[in-house]
Amino acid sequence: MSAFFSPFISKPEGVSLIMLKVLLALIPGIALYVWFFGSAILISITLASLTALGTEALMLKLRNRPISPFLKDNSALLTAWLLALSIPPLAPWWLVVVGTAFAISISKHLYGGLGNNPFNPAMIGYAVLIISFPLQMTHWITPHGLGQVELGFFDQLDYIFRGILPDGLKLDAVTMATPLDTLKTQLHMYGNINEIMNLPIYGHLAGQGSEWVATGFLLGGLYLLATRLISWHIPVAYLGTLFITAGLFHLADPAHYVTPLFHWFSGAAMIGAFFILTDPVSGPTTHKGKLIFAAGAGFITYLIRVFGGFPDGMAFATLLMNICVPLIDAYTQPKVFGKKGRLSDKNGGQA
Amino acid sequence: MLSALLVMLEIAVVLGAVLGFAAIKFRVEGNPMVDKIDAILPQTQCGQCGFPGCKPYATAIANGEADINLCPPGGEEGIHKLADLLGRDFVPYGGDIAPKPKSVAFIDENDCIGCTLCTQACPVDAIVGAAKQMHTIIAAECTGCELCVAPCPVDIISMIPIEETLTTWKWKYPIYALSPVK
Amino acid sequence: MRQLFKFHGGVHPPTHKEQSSQSPIAQAVLPSRLVVPLYQHIGNRAKPAVEVGQRVRKGQIIGMPEGSLSSAVHAPTSGTVAAIDMQQVAHASGMDDLCVTLIPDGQEEWIKREGMDYLSINKADIRFVLRMAGVVGLGGATFPSDQKLRPGKHKIKTVVLNGAECEPYITCDDLLMRERAEEIIQGAEIIRYMLDAEEVLIGIEDNKPEAIAAMRLAVNARPRSASADRMEVIAVPTLYPGGGAKQLIRVLTGIEVAAGVRSTDLGAQCFNVGTAYSIYRAIAHGEPLISRIVTVTGNVAQARNFEVLFGTPAHELVSQAAPLPDTNGYLMGGPMMGIRLPSEQVGIIKATNCIIAMSDVLFPPAPPALPCIRCTRCAEACPAELQPQELYWFAKAKNFDKARKYNLFDCIECGACSYVCPSHIPLVQYYRFAKSEIWDQESNQKAADAARVRHEYHEFREEREKREKAEKLAERDRAAQAAKAQKAAAPPTLPPAGEVANVSPCAAPADADPENTMQLKIQRAIEQAKLQAATTTPKNTEQLTPEQRAQIAAIEARRAHIHELASTSVEASSAMLVEANTEVKSQPPTQSPQE
């Protein structure tokens, strides 16, 4: 039986298809990730996905909700992928599981499930992990061609699940700090950007390898824009603010502040601009609101990166701006049809 | 230690003075709350809450002498509104008289003896008729309070529920289907 | 090339128009009976003007307009009135309403029809003719056209003729424009004359090239008038809901008409092409509105447009288009804004532009609704530039004040938001629900306010009556005492007490006391009132026939009996008090001072 009241037709594109397209858009970035850092990331993505679906099903069951329509909506998968992409691939398996389970159960379902979470679940998961397990969160794989030793797929598997490295190998030999982190510590020690940039871990714009991963996410983001799955407001405002803020500091003191492009292609800036901040549920809904939201996030990201204690500021910037969303929405309601101009204002008014 | 205490004391005194001043300066005559509550009550004047009208009930609520859930014609919506206004929690209806559908009184004019008892009982003067003349209800003004039913010596006043018509029909709350039927 | 304006949002649902636009308009077969609702327009229901069993002629008024906003209803053909009763009508509620059931006699015997030259009669008369011809907006809103042709305070610059027809499936305006363009243009001329407008802009969506060509031809074929009035056919982009009056006005003139604003105040007025055609038929040929073009399409083998008499039962119409066996329901209107017919028996009405046979293939069941993910696709699609996701939230939570603040009433219920919603939430349903709840609350509030005023007056009156009575009693006491005192002190030749007080207030010993003079004044006023009351006896008690007197006596006896029975109860005693009071009032004052 078709619907009882109009409209009787609807566009076929549903939530699950939208989420699926977003997942697809992550593929180029993930492919480059694998290319430069090995396939460990695939393990953590799989692990996170399974945990996410399991937690989702369990929570739906506990909340006495129908399970299949929500499992099929792909939103839990997206959270899982985003979280897996923001933690070190060599992190122990329980770290991934704990983070994902927390993201899905506490930050999504305790707030009412799909559509009701005030914070980005993936970023909540990340924030919990980096605060609770800061040490494990720093073991980033050295990019292809930089380290003395490279772990094979099964070695990685072994380490992730059992914490065992091949004989005689130390963790430090295969991991390193992120380019952003390195920059911060090196600045403290030596203090000159130009010298630091000559370190082998830096490539053309930012970190060796990671700059390419960021480019992959940029490509995926452009696909999202082209298919109108996201609007331009958030990526443009975020990257724009980050660029301008970084650019001003860089212009003022090039020796101590890196180029804006370094910021663009480092850390989670790209994936954040196109995939994380654009999460519709926890973001604002008005155009103006999106601009304010993303600009605020860009500014906070820069502040945390340069002056804060954490290696990257994306997650906390997102969460801080998530708090402001209801306020931003309330104050950026656009004028409606017929109530914009002077002419109609004169005659208009509330119905 | 002492200075901290002194500072706190000072703040207390200053704020107290400000509050006292405000209380005098912005003093409101009468009780505006009563009117606000009265505005929410449905004005049927039926007395089913146990008070002799809507205003007395409003006064009793404002004075904290009555609960907000005693008005049957106001329905749940009325309780919600009162709860919002007074910053209290919603409480389900707790009166003695079961809420009824909205009705209007009807006088069977053939048997009316013209005693005027109902006209005196009507709180909104919605019954016309003089002594020894038959009476009738002005349906548009009737609040459905039923106060005229009991006094009628010949028992000819009945309450007729107002039926929904094409023009008063309302769109229903959509059924929110979460689970597929299959 | 004229500059066109854009409206925000809009969607591109599949149009399915070719299905029914291939064949010319056909005359529908005369049905076996016609069920004509008397409430087919905005405003007041028409009042039945015929009786059961009466023979009516085609075009005869069967429902008279009532009140200023109403329209007449006519017999669609000649025949006999079989019933005037409540029947199910084509309405979303599926409820019954007053209908006239007519059994056609097949004679098609018309009433006397007289066309007129609109230039030779005054505008008020033209409006009256249209009102009595039952001409209402045929675009779906069915607003009485005579009211729309009333000159307002503002000068109307532009008349917009709506031939956009943006809803999928519907082609009735398309075919009307293709086949009867000249009449439409003549109707447009009448509209422009009535409103004194400068220009007529005819907006047609660019997916109807034949209609555009036919209309352009008709516009150019007009005799060149000296006034060089502008009339132009404009192809507008195909975009739902571009045929909404507000949207078309916006596209053609740039004017945005907000909710609660009349477009006439902004210098524009919009008419459907079908309405223009009916106006022309009513004025130039004296033909009332008794039929319209209806598209029958969807799950049928021979989709096409029919000229259908109002009241034709839906199934008798649809059967002429050969519905397919898996048909499981009928839509009236388009798939975006139409309603499901409550049954296939209901009659075609003035608002029926299309009947779509439904099947699960054409209209698959709606997927289960998921929660809103705030993706704002609805906001991107909303032609009223609303934030549907916020409105949905407020309507769902029954937070009506907030919904209103977020411009709920600017929603035109076009369904674009529901159409694009990836969570398949029936958004429009929520808005309709919220709107009708708000309307209901408003009328309740109005009633409550009126009741409050009446109650307060009631209390005031009771208070006043009590006070007056107390004063009267006090005065009587005083007068009696004064009389006693005077009787004791003065010679016995003095007139009775009442008269003393009346004629010689100055001589009274209490004169010096201001309170007493006050009392005396009041007393005098009361006496005067009593005198007045005595001279004017109640009209309805004089010259009673013996029967009436007997009736009254019977009632009095019954009453006395009741009082006897219930003399112990409180009610009865109060009733007796009332009796006593009324007795006092009805008697002349001269006899009652002692009571």
Side-chain angles (χ1 to χ4, degrees):
Chain A
M1 190 75 163
S2 37
F4 207 81
F5 296 109
S6 65
F8 298 90
I9 47 177
S10 65
K11 231 180 177 176
E13 188 180 57
V15 173
S16 81
L17 190 63
I18 291 175
M19 296 285 179
L20 187 69
K21 283 183 180 170
V22 177
L23 288 176
L24 283 180
L26 280 169
I27 300 274
I30 295 173
L32 286 162
Y33 208 124
V34 173
W35 177 264
F36 284 100
F37 297 96
S39 40
I41 187 68
L42 296 179
I43 301 169
S44 50
I45 285 179
T46 315
L47 202 55
S49 301
L50 292 175
T51 315
L53 290 177
T55 319
E56 180 93 359
L58 181 72
M59 289 308 287
L60 287 167
K61 180 110 187 135
L62 288 176
R63 289 176 59 219
N64 210 3
R65 296 292 158 106
I67 293 174
S68 83
F70 285 104
L71 275 193
K72 282 188 219 145
D73 70 23
N74 293 331
S75 68
L77 277 186
L78 185 59
T79 300
W81 286 29
L82 290 176
L83 181 61
L85 285 171
S86 46
I87 54 185
L90 274 189
W93 65 272
W94 52 266
L95 198 72
V96 180
V97 170
V98 166
T100 316
F102 191 93
I104 298 290
S105 61
I106 308 285
S107 70
K108 185 176 175 190
H109 278 285
L110 288 197
Y111 284 99
L114 178 69
N116 294 302
N117 45 297
F119 299 104
N120 189 317
M123 291 302 103
I124 288 278
Y126 174 85
V128 165
L129 292 182
I130 200 151
I131 290 168
S132 313
F133 313 103
L135 186 65
Q136 285 85 347
M137 289 291 280
T138 53
H139 296 153
W140 294 86
I141 299 181
T142 315
H144 186 65
L146 265 190
Q148 307 100 321
V149 199
E150 273 170 43
L151 290 180
F153 179 71
F154 290 102
D155 294 336
Q156 289 178 338
L157 207 60
D158 233 17
Y159 182 72
I160 290 172
F161 283 97
R162 301 198 299 165
I164 300 169
L165 283 172
D167 287 340
L169 212 57
K170 281 200 169 161
L171 191 60
D172 287 351
V174 289
T175 64
M176 59 166 208
T178 63
L180 273 171
D181 216 3
T182 314
L183 176 70
K184 211 181 255 175
T185 41
Q186 295 289 327
L187 265 177
H188 272 293
M189 288 156 71
Y190 308 106
N192 194 323
I193 292 281
N194 290 331
E195 285 174 31
I196 300 170
M197 283 299 138
N198 288 330
L199 288 173
I201 72 159
Y202 292 106
H204 306 283
L205 293 169
Q208 181 83 268
S210 61
E211 60 186 14
W212 285 106
V213 177
T215 313
F217 290 133
L218 173 63
L219 277 177
L222 292 177
Y223 162 76
L224 292 183
L225 275 179
T227 50
R228 313 196 106 213
L229 281 163
I230 57 171
S231 71
W232 58 267
H233 303 84
I234 286 179
V236 167
Y238 178 77
L239 294 175
T241 311
L242 188 61
F243 193 92
I244 291 168
T245 319
L248 288 177
F249 276 96
H250 179 68
L251 282 181
D253 185 0
H256 288 93
Y257 298 99
V258 282
T259 62
L261 282 177
F262 181 89
H263 278 284
W264 268 20
F265 287 92
S266 294
M270 278 302 165
I271 193 174
F274 290 101
F275 294 89
I276 295 172
L277 284 168
T278 51
D279 167 40
V281 177
S282 54
T285 52
T286 62
H287 288 170
K288 222 191 274 175
K290 283 176 181 172
L291 294 176
I292 295 170
F293 170 79
F299 190 66
I300 296 173
T301 305
Y302 187 81
L303 290 187
I304 294 176
R305 278 182 178 184
V306 177
F307 305 106
F310 289 104
D312 197 356
M314 186 66 220
F316 290 103
T318 308
L319 295 177
L320 283 173
M321 289 315 288
N322 280 162
I323 300 175
C324 310
V325 163
L327 197 69
I328 293 174
D329 270 346
Y331 281 100
T332 55
Q333 285 300 315
K335 290 239 165 67
V336 307
F337 185 83
K339 293 182 181 169
K340 284 168 287 191
R342 198 174 49 83
L343 185 69
S344 45
D345 276 349
K346 198 172 62 185
N347 302 297
Q350 297 289 58
Chain B
M1 179 65 189
L2 189 69
S3 65
L5 272 178
L6 281 175
V7 166
M8 297 300 260
L9 196 70
E10 210 168 292
I11 292 173
V13 167
V14 169
L15 289 180
V18 169
L19 280 177
F21 175 74
I24 297 163
K25 171 91 182 170
F26 302 110
R27 190 185 170 79
V28 186
E29 291 301 332
N31 193 345
M33 210 38 152
V34 173
D35 284 336
K36 278 187 191 164
I37 296 170
D38 194 41
I40 292 173
L41 296 176
Q43 304 302 320
T44 41
Q45 316 295 352
C46 59
Q48 292 181 69
C49 50
F51 293 88
C54 293
K55 192 90 174 229
Y57 179 42
T59 315
I61 294 177
N63 295 340
E65 292 155 7
D67 215 341
I68 57 173
N69 62 345
L70 301 176
C71 176
E76 276 202 5
E77 216 177 274
I79 303 174
H80 270 298
K81 280 189 180 166
L82 286 174
D84 276 354
L85 176 71
L86 300 167
R88 296 198 207 164
D89 283 337
F90 170 80
V91 266
Y93 172 70
D96 305 324
I97 299 153
K100 289 176 200 155
K102 233 173 139 186
S103 313
V104 284
F106 174 75
I107 297 177
D108 185 354
E109 287 157 4
N110 294 325
D111 291 336
C112 176
I113 56 173
C115 69
T116 73
L117 285 181
C118 56
T119 57
Q120 291 166 55
C122 180
V124 291
D125 290 343
I127 307 179
V128 285
K132 296 184 188 173
Q133 308 291 323
M134 73 171 189
H135 303 338
T136 195
I137 310 263
I138 311 170
E141 308 288 356
C142 175
T143 63
C145 67
E146 306 191 2
L147 289 181
C148 55
V149 175
C152 180
V154 284
D155 265 348
I156 49 157
I157 304 183
S158 48
M159 300 304 297
I160 299 177
I162 303 172
E163 270 177 49
E164 197 174 43
T165 66
L166 205 67
T167 35
T168 58
W169 176 78
K170 291 193 288 179
W171 287 94
K172 304 293 175 289
Y173 191 80
I175 301 153
Y176 200 66
L178 259 182
S179 55
V181 190
K182 289 168 259 172
Chain C
M1 193 63 199
R2 171 175 284 271
Q3 189 212 337
L4 294 183
F5 298 84
K6 273 186 181 154
F7 64 89
H8 178 265
V11 291
H12 287 284
T15 63
H16 294 286
K17 284 182 189 275
E18 324 69 44
Q19 196 187 350
S20 57
S21 63
Q22 306 303 324
S23 348
I25 299 171
Q27 184 69 45
V29 176
L30 189 69
S32 57
R33 72 194 173 101
L34 293 157
V35 184
V36 189
L38 291 171
Y39 187 41
Q40 299 191 43
H41 45 260
I42 290 193
N44 299 320
R45 180 181 291 107
K47 226 169 144 183
V50 286
E51 279 161 22
V52 176
Q54 185 181 336
R55 184 174 186 277
V56 290
R57 285 194 285 176
K58 185 170 184 158
Q60 182 177 337
I61 289 183
I62 56 174
M64 283 297 264
E66 201 170 43
S68 59
L69 188 64
S70 185
S71 200
V73 178
H74 303 77
T77 183
S78 58
T80 315
V81 176
I84 302 173
D85 58 358
M86 301 296 276
Q87 301 259 352
Q88 197 168 46
V89 293
H91 187 266
S93 67
M95 290 176 81
D96 296 352
D97 204 52
L98 197 59
C99 295
V100 173
T101 306
L102 191 68
I103 306 296
D105 57 10
Q107 312 268 312
E108 300 275 3
E109 187 192 337
W110 270 98
I111 48 159
K112 201 168 141 249
R113 283 166 291 170
E114 253 178 297
M116 53 189 118
D117 177 16
Y118 66 91
L119 292 171
S120 65
I121 41 175
N122 77 42
K123 292 181 177 176
D125 287 344
I126 292 181
R127 284 197 296 271
F128 182 74
V129 169
L130 291 175
R131 172 179 158 92
M132 297 314 280
V135 178
V136 299
L138 295 181
T142 62
F143 193 89
S145 299
D146 56 300
Q147 290 297 318
K148 278 178 89 174
L149 291 170
R150 198 173 273 280
K153 281 173 284 179
H154 300 261
K155 181 172 167 38
I156 299 212
K157 181 170 173 279
T158 312
V159 165
V160 170
L161 212 56
N162 190 343
E165 201 166 55
C166 59
E167 273 241 32
Y169 288 98
I170 309 176
T171 56
C172 63
D173 288 348
D174 184 6
L175 267 287
L176 187 77
M177 287 187 287
R178 290 192 207 179
E179 297 187 11
R180 304 178 191 176
E182 264 169 54
E183 285 104 319
I184 296 172
I185 299 303
Q186 305 242 24
E189 289 283 6
I190 300 176
I191 293 169
R192 183 183 49 194
Y193 163 73
M194 292 293 290
L195 292 172
D196 236 344
E198 281 172 29
E199 54 177 4
V200 177
L201 304 180
I202 305 165
I204 305 172
E205 279 194 350
D206 54 15
N207 60 358
K208 292 181 255 304
E210 295 96 336
I212 294 172
M215 291 292 278
R216 285 214 169 117
L217 204 67
V219 167
N220 293 333
R222 286 175 314 149
R224 295 276 121 211
S225 66
S227 55
D229 287 327
R230 284 167 51 84
M231 187 181 285
E232 196 182 336
V233 176
I234 300 158
V236 298
T238 301
L239 175 64
Y240 180 85
K246 292 177 180 203
Q247 279 64 44
L248 192 64
I249 290 175
R250 162 74 188 163
V251 168
L252 293 179
T253 67
I255 296 170
E256 291 189 1
V257 185
V261 180
R262 276 177 306 185
S263 65
T264 46
D265 292 345
L266 304 174
Q269 182 70 289
C270 181
F271 289 87
N272 176 265
V273 285
T275 316
Y277 173 77
S278 309
I279 289 174
Y280 166 76
R281 297 299 298 182
I283 301 295
H285 295 276
E287 269 175 30
L289 187 63
I290 54 165
S291 67
R292 66 161 297 152
I293 314 294
V294 178
T295 309
V296 183
T297 182
N299 199 37
V300 295
Q302 292 150 16
R304 72 184 303 166
N305 283 276
F306 292 94
E307 172 119 33
V308 187
L309 299 177
F310 299 133
T312 304
H315 66 100
E316 291 201 35
L317 170 63
V318 178
S319 65
Q320 297 170 49
L324 299 175
D326 63 332
T327 299
N328 61 4
Y330 295 101
L331 276 186
M332 180 178 106
M336 294 297 283
M337 290 183 77
I339 59 163
R340 236 187 141 103
L341 284 183
S343 90
E344 51 182 40
Q345 306 292 326
V346 298
I348 300 298
I349 52 174
K350 292 178 182 176
T352 314
N353 46 10
C354 182
I355 298 282
I356 304 175
M358 301 175 88
S359 73
D360 278 341
V361 181
L362 282 180
F363 300 95
L370 287 173
C372 168
I373 56 164
R374 293 158 49 89
C375 68
T376 65
R377 275 166 178 69
C378 49
E380 302 299 335
C382 180
E385 293 164 72
L386 301 171
Q387 297 287 311
Q389 77 282 356
E390 305 278 2
L391 291 175
Y392 157 67
W393 195 252
F394 296 136
K396 193 181 163 201
K398 302 184 185 169
N399 190 348
F400 300 127
D401 288 347
K402 207 73 188 206
R404 203 175 182 161
K405 219 174 179 175
Y406 276 64
N407 302 299
L408 172 67
F409 283 96
D410 278 85
C411 167
I412 57 167
E413 299 175 25
C414 68
C417 50
S418 305
Y419 176 74
V420 296
C421 181
S423 291
H424 306 294
I425 301 169
L427 292 164
V428 185
Q429 263 308 94
Y430 281 96
Y431 310 147
R432 289 184 185 128
F433 158 74
K435 282 181 184 176
S436 60
E437 283 299 318
I438 292 173
W439 283 322
D440 189 52
Q441 278 182 9
E442 248 168 30
S443 74
N444 282 345
Q445 192 57 49
K446 243 181 227 162
D449 289 344
R452 185 182 298 113
V453 171
R454 287 181 80 88
H455 180 61
E456 275 163 10
Y457 183 74
H458 173 85
E459 286 192 317
F460 162 76
R461 187 174 55 77
E462 276 191 333
E463 198 60 35
R464 191 189 60 199
E465 276 169 7
K466 218 186 274 171
R467 201 179 56 230
E468 280 173 358
K469 215 160 97 186
E471 273 167 6
K472 206 155 71 181
L473 284 174
E475 193 50 42
R476 263 183 218 149
D477 268 8
R478 210 191 310 276
Q481 271 172 12
K484 228 185 236 169
Q486 279 195 352
K487 225 180 200 172
T493 49
L494 274 175
E499 277 180 50
V500 172
N502 243 342
V503 290
S504 55
C506 309
D511 186 35
D513 189 354
E515 206 175 291
N516 271 3
T517 44
M518 198 61 161
Q519 293 289 353
L520 283 169
K521 271 184 195 165
I522 291 168
Q523 196 204 11
R524 222 176 306 155
I526 292 169
E527 295 292 338
Q528 217 158 4
K530 277 179 184 168
L531 211 71
Q532 260 178 5
T535 50
T536 56
T537 41
K539 272 204 178 111
N540 52 6
T541 54
E542 57 189 4
Q543 289 160 8
L544 292 174
T545 61
E547 291 143 278
Q548 282 171 322
R549 280 175 204 281
Q551 270 180 357
I552 293 172
I555 292 168
E556 287 292 343
R558 200 164 47 180
R559 213 187 209 178
H561 180 61
I562 290 162
H563 283 178
E564 254 169 63
L565 286 178
S567 56
T568 44
S569 81
V570 183
E571 272 116 329
S573 59
S574 70
M576 288 222 280
L577 262 177
V578 173
E579 291 267 348
N581 272 340
T582 48
E583 293 296 326
V584 170
K585 272 177 204 154
S586 59
Q587 275 168 12
T590 42
Q591 289 178 14
S592 60
Q594 269 76 45
E595 280 186 33

